[in-house]
Amino acid sequence: MYYLRPIVLLTLVYLAFTANLELLNIITGFIVASLVVLLIRPRPHKVNWRQFPQTALAMLRYVLVLVYDLIVSGIQVARIVLSPSLPIKPGIIAIQSTCRSEDAAALNAHSITLTPGELVVEMSEDGTMYTHCLDASKSEEVVEQAQTMRVELLEKIFE
């Protein structure tokens, strides 16, 4: 019975993306959502309604920071690629993730991978993310400040 809520929510998301409310599509969405939920098996957790406004605000800030990072790094990568001299110094840097939650650490790694010019290649047991960067010399300077802000927001979201 617990899995019914995520199945219904995923079915609604599927229907919103497909914009098709025919019976066969609704059944397909329900089957796909059921398979996803059965594969993932989400853990039940209590919602702390007192912290919900703080969590929602942190989530909004996280999404806005991520969108900003995507736009800025996209422009930077476009400049690098369009430059005739191709001024890059690719390399792999180690980024220490201090997230307490596995979900927060996974989302942190995913957000780094989403930004153009960076890709988390591996994540060790202690939370160190080995990240490939187009310009490793410049990335090391910015990483610590960005990582601190991301982890702070993710900890508020996944408390």
mmCIF file of all heavy atoms in Angstrom, residues 13-31:
data_model
loop_
_atom_site.group_PDB
_atom_site.id
_atom_site.type_symbol
_atom_site.label_atom_id
_atom_site.label_comp_id
_atom_site.label_asym_id
_atom_site.label_seq_id
_atom_site.Cartn_x
_atom_site.Cartn_y
_atom_site.Cartn_z
ATOM 1 N N VAL A 13 3.206 12.185 -13.548
ATOM 2 C CA VAL A 13 4.340 12.833 -14.219
ATOM 3 C C VAL A 13 4.475 12.303 -15.643
ATOM 4 O O VAL A 13 4.675 13.076 -16.596
ATOM 5 C CB VAL A 13 5.643 12.616 -13.410
ATOM 6 C CG1 VAL A 13 6.866 13.027 -14.210
ATOM 7 C CG2 VAL A 13 5.583 13.364 -12.106
ATOM 8 N N TYR A 14 4.342 10.995 -15.810
ATOM 9 C CA TYR A 14 4.404 10.385 -17.136
ATOM 10 C C TYR A 14 3.330 10.967 -18.050
ATOM 11 O O TYR A 14 3.601 11.322 -19.197
ATOM 12 C CB TYR A 14 4.239 8.865 -17.002
ATOM 13 C CG TYR A 14 4.145 8.145 -18.321
ATOM 14 C CD1 TYR A 14 5.288 7.778 -19.016
ATOM 15 C CD2 TYR A 14 2.914 7.827 -18.890
ATOM 16 C CE1 TYR A 14 5.205 7.115 -20.228
ATOM 17 C CE2 TYR A 14 2.820 7.168 -20.091
ATOM 18 C CZ TYR A 14 3.970 6.819 -20.756
ATOM 19 O OH TYR A 14 3.882 6.175 -21.957
ATOM 20 N N LEU A 15 2.114 11.084 -17.529
ATOM 21 C CA LEU A 15 1.022 11.625 -18.340
ATOM 22 C C LEU A 15 1.249 13.098 -18.674
ATOM 23 O O LEU A 15 0.898 13.551 -19.759
ATOM 24 C CB LEU A 15 -0.313 11.422 -17.623
ATOM 25 C CG LEU A 15 -0.762 9.969 -17.472
ATOM 26 C CD1 LEU A 15 -2.008 9.882 -16.613
ATOM 27 C CD2 LEU A 15 -0.981 9.328 -18.830
ATOM 28 N N ALA A 16 1.836 13.829 -17.744
ATOM 29 C CA ALA A 16 2.129 15.241 -18.014
ATOM 30 C C ALA A 16 3.174 15.379 -19.120
ATOM 31 O O ALA A 16 3.074 16.256 -19.977
ATOM 32 C CB ALA A 16 2.614 15.928 -16.744
ATOM 33 N N PHE A 17 4.174 14.497 -19.117
ATOM 34 C CA PHE A 17 5.205 14.556 -20.149
ATOM 35 C C PHE A 17 4.696 14.095 -21.512
ATOM 36 O O PHE A 17 5.090 14.635 -22.536
ATOM 37 C CB PHE A 17 6.429 13.741 -19.756
ATOM 38 C CG PHE A 17 7.326 14.419 -18.769
ATOM 39 C CD1 PHE A 17 7.900 13.706 -17.734
ATOM 40 C CD2 PHE A 17 7.608 15.765 -18.866
ATOM 41 C CE1 PHE A 17 8.728 14.329 -16.816
ATOM 42 C CE2 PHE A 17 8.425 16.402 -17.963
ATOM 43 C CZ PHE A 17 8.989 15.684 -16.931
ATOM 44 N N THR A 18 3.837 13.090 -21.517
ATOM 45 C CA THR A 18 3.360 12.589 -22.799
ATOM 46 C C THR A 18 2.186 13.397 -23.339
ATOM 47 O O THR A 18 1.941 13.388 -24.538
ATOM 48 C CB THR A 18 2.928 11.116 -22.694
ATOM 49 O OG1 THR A 18 1.883 10.994 -21.729
ATOM 50 C CG2 THR A 18 4.104 10.236 -22.337
ATOM 51 N N ALA A 19 1.455 14.083 -22.464
ATOM 52 C CA ALA A 19 0.288 14.892 -22.852
ATOM 53 C C ALA A 19 -0.707 14.080 -23.674
ATOM 54 O O ALA A 19 -1.267 14.547 -24.652
ATOM 55 C CB ALA A 19 0.729 16.150 -23.607
ATOM 56 N N ASN A 20 -0.909 12.846 -23.235
ATOM 57 C CA ASN A 20 -1.808 11.942 -23.934
ATOM 58 C C ASN A 20 -2.642 11.218 -22.882
ATOM 59 O O ASN A 20 -2.112 10.432 -22.099
ATOM 60 C CB ASN A 20 -0.988 10.941 -24.759
ATOM 61 C CG ASN A 20 -1.858 10.000 -25.544
ATOM 62 O OD1 ASN A 20 -3.074 10.004 -25.428
ATOM 63 N ND2 ASN A 20 -1.212 9.174 -26.355
ATOM 64 N N LEU A 21 -3.930 11.487 -22.858
ATOM 65 C CA LEU A 21 -4.796 10.910 -21.835
ATOM 66 C C LEU A 21 -5.663 9.773 -22.352
ATOM 67 O O LEU A 21 -6.740 9.506 -21.814
ATOM 68 C CB LEU A 21 -5.683 12.005 -21.213
ATOM 69 C CG LEU A 21 -4.925 13.096 -20.452
ATOM 70 C CD1 LEU A 21 -5.883 14.150 -19.943
ATOM 71 C CD2 LEU A 21 -4.130 12.498 -19.307
ATOM 72 N N GLU A 22 -5.197 9.081 -23.368
ATOM 73 C CA GLU A 22 -5.917 7.911 -23.844
ATOM 74 C C GLU A 22 -5.742 6.774 -22.842
ATOM 75 O O GLU A 22 -4.743 6.706 -22.127
ATOM 76 C CB GLU A 22 -5.399 7.482 -25.216
ATOM 77 C CG GLU A 22 -5.718 8.483 -26.312
ATOM 78 C CD GLU A 22 -5.189 8.040 -27.657
ATOM 79 O OE1 GLU A 22 -4.828 6.853 -27.792
ATOM 80 O OE2 GLU A 22 -5.131 8.882 -28.554
ATOM 81 N N LEU A 23 -6.711 5.877 -22.793
ATOM 82 C CA LEU A 23 -6.711 4.798 -21.817
ATOM 83 C C LEU A 23 -5.451 3.939 -21.910
ATOM 84 O O LEU A 23 -4.839 3.607 -20.894
ATOM 85 C CB LEU A 23 -7.968 3.923 -21.980
ATOM 86 C CG LEU A 23 -8.082 2.768 -20.993
ATOM 87 C CD1 LEU A 23 -8.173 3.299 -19.568
ATOM 88 C CD2 LEU A 23 -9.281 1.909 -21.313
ATOM 89 N N LEU A 24 -5.035 3.608 -23.112
ATOM 90 C CA LEU A 24 -3.848 2.776 -23.291
ATOM 91 C C LEU A 24 -2.594 3.475 -22.760
ATOM 92 O O LEU A 24 -1.725 2.831 -22.153
ATOM 93 C CB LEU A 24 -3.675 2.399 -24.766
ATOM 94 C CG LEU A 24 -2.624 1.343 -25.057
ATOM 95 C CD1 LEU A 24 -2.948 0.047 -24.317
ATOM 96 C CD2 LEU A 24 -2.553 1.073 -26.540
ATOM 97 N N ASN A 25 -2.494 4.787 -22.941
ATOM 98 C CA ASN A 25 -1.348 5.538 -22.437
ATOM 99 C C ASN A 25 -1.369 5.617 -20.908
ATOM 100 O O ASN A 25 -0.324 5.551 -20.267
ATOM 101 C CB ASN A 25 -1.310 6.941 -23.046
ATOM 102 C CG ASN A 25 0.012 7.622 -22.796
ATOM 103 O OD1 ASN A 25 1.067 7.033 -22.997
ATOM 104 N ND2 ASN A 25 -0.051 8.851 -22.326
ATOM 105 N N ILE A 26 -2.545 5.745 -20.335
ATOM 106 C CA ILE A 26 -2.653 5.770 -18.872
ATOM 107 C C ILE A 26 -2.213 4.421 -18.300
ATOM 108 O O ILE A 26 -1.466 4.366 -17.320
ATOM 109 C CB ILE A 26 -4.098 6.114 -18.442
ATOM 110 C CG1 ILE A 26 -4.440 7.557 -18.855
ATOM 111 C CG2 ILE A 26 -4.283 5.930 -16.941
ATOM 112 C CD1 ILE A 26 -5.892 7.924 -18.665
ATOM 113 N N ILE A 27 -2.639 3.336 -18.926
ATOM 114 C CA ILE A 27 -2.236 1.997 -18.480
ATOM 115 C C ILE A 27 -0.729 1.815 -18.627
ATOM 116 O O ILE A 27 -0.057 1.296 -17.733
ATOM 117 C CB ILE A 27 -3.014 0.909 -19.254
ATOM 118 C CG1 ILE A 27 -4.501 0.979 -18.882
ATOM 119 C CG2 ILE A 27 -2.443 -0.473 -18.986
ATOM 120 C CD1 ILE A 27 -5.394 0.124 -19.761
ATOM 121 N N THR A 28 -0.182 2.278 -19.748
ATOM 122 C CA THR A 28 1.263 2.202 -19.967
ATOM 123 C C THR A 28 2.011 2.990 -18.898
ATOM 124 O O THR A 28 3.010 2.515 -18.349
ATOM 125 C CB THR A 28 1.629 2.725 -21.371
ATOM 126 O OG1 THR A 28 0.915 1.972 -22.344
ATOM 127 C CG2 THR A 28 3.120 2.633 -21.620
ATOM 128 N N GLY A 29 1.540 4.188 -18.612
ATOM 129 C CA GLY A 29 2.170 5.012 -17.572
ATOM 130 C C GLY A 29 2.136 4.340 -16.215
ATOM 131 O O GLY A 29 3.117 4.369 -15.463
ATOM 132 N N PHE A 30 1.013 3.707 -15.899
ATOM 133 C CA PHE A 30 0.883 3.009 -14.622
ATOM 134 C C PHE A 30 1.846 1.831 -14.551
ATOM 135 O O PHE A 30 2.497 1.599 -13.523
ATOM 136 C CB PHE A 30 -0.565 2.544 -14.422
ATOM 137 C CG PHE A 30 -0.821 1.953 -13.072
ATOM 138 C CD1 PHE A 30 -1.023 2.782 -11.980
ATOM 139 C CD2 PHE A 30 -0.844 0.587 -12.884
ATOM 140 C CE1 PHE A 30 -1.254 2.256 -10.724
ATOM 141 C CE2 PHE A 30 -1.074 0.045 -11.636
ATOM 142 C CZ PHE A 30 -1.283 0.875 -10.548
ATOM 143 N N ILE A 31 1.981 1.098 -15.637
ATOM 144 C CA ILE A 31 2.898 -0.049 -15.664
ATOM 145 C C ILE A 31 4.349 0.414 -15.547
ATOM 146 O O ILE A 31 5.130 -0.153 -14.773
ATOM 147 C CB ILE A 31 2.673 -0.893 -16.941
ATOM 148 C CG1 ILE A 31 1.311 -1.583 -16.880
ATOM 149 C CG2 ILE A 31 3.792 -1.903 -17.136
ATOM 150 C CD1 ILE A 31 0.890 -2.246 -18.167
#
